[in-house]
């Protein structure tokens, strides 16, 4: 097992053992599923589907698929083309959003941590409201 894969596996196991019971509820699962679906849409080249998971705030900043993808391609390449990824810690924020730490083995062979801020919509669905990336090991951003 490579160092990178061991790092991802260890971080995921620590996150599961350290996760509070509140982080295991159905809302958190649904929000995490949206992140997974967006990452898988990026990997399969279904950029329109990936864009569909963006919150209204993100879509107001990047009102077209082309603008959205330009932003992703220039600033979020590890999210666009992860070699591997695993979920780390989860935190419920005071504003109702959920923060998910996603550990990514980037296409350049380096490790990244992406903090996904998930926002519940009026219809009950979850959307990606922001993503903050940094290079290196996990730690809440």
């Amino acid at each position: 097992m490579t160092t990178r894969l061991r790092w991802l596996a260890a971080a995921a196991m620590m996150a599961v053992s350290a996760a509070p019971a509140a982080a295991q509820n159905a809302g958190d699962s649904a929000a995490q599923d949206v992140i997974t679906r967006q990452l898988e849409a990026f990997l399969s080249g279904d950029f329109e589907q990936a864009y569909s998971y963006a919150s209204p705030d993100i879509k107001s900043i990047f009102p077209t698929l082309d603008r959205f993808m330009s932003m992703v391609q220039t600033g979020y390449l590890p999210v666009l083309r992860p070699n591997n990824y695993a979920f780390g810690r989860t935190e419920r924020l005071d504003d109702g959003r959920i923060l998910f730490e996603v550990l990514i083995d980037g296409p350049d062979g380096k490790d990244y941590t992406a903090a996904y801020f998930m926002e519940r919509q009026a219809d009950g669905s979850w959307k990606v409201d922001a993503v903050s990336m940094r290079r290196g090991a996990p730690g809440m951003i």
Side-chain angles (χ1 to χ4, degrees):
M1 186 183 283
T2 68
T3 301
R4 215 166 274 98
L5 289 177
R6 273 185 260 144
W7 173 81
L8 284 170
M13 298 223 357
M14 287 183 346
V16 169
S17 65
Q24 301 301 319
N25 72 33
D28 292 5
S29 253
Q32 182 175 321
D33 186 52
V34 169
I35 297 168
T36 299
R37 285 186 279 152
Q38 186 179 57
L39 289 167
E40 295 300 320
F42 281 136
L43 282 168
S44 70
D46 190 349
F47 303 137
E48 191 170 315
Q49 185 66 34
Y51 184 57
S52 77
Y53 300 118
S55 74
D57 288 340
I58 296 298
K59 288 182 175 181
S60 72
I61 298 167
F62 304 99
T64 67
L65 177 60
D66 287 341
R67 286 186 184 176
F68 176 75
M69 288 309 302
S70 177
M71 174 270 300
V72 172
Q73 290 167 337
T74 58
Y76 296 88
L77 195 56
V79 168
L80 181 63
R81 293 282 175 244
N83 287 326
N84 200 354
Y85 63 90
F87 285 87
R89 292 187 284 174
T90 302
E91 180 182 338
R92 286 194 159 270
L93 305 176
D94 291 340
D95 63 4
R97 295 185 304 167
I98 304 174
L99 172 60
F100 286 91
E101 194 173 66
V102 181
L103 317 170
I104 298 173
D105 175 15
D108 58 0
K110 296 177 181 164
D111 298 327
Y112 294 87
T113 302
Y116 274 79
F117 294 83
M118 301 300 293
E119 179 180 72
R120 189 173 203 106
Q121 305 303 298
D123 67 0
S125 67
W126 289 92
K127 298 286 184 177
V128 178
D129 194 46
V131 177
S132 177
M133 292 277 307
R134 73 177 172 85
R135 192 161 168 247
M140 291 312 261
I141 296 174

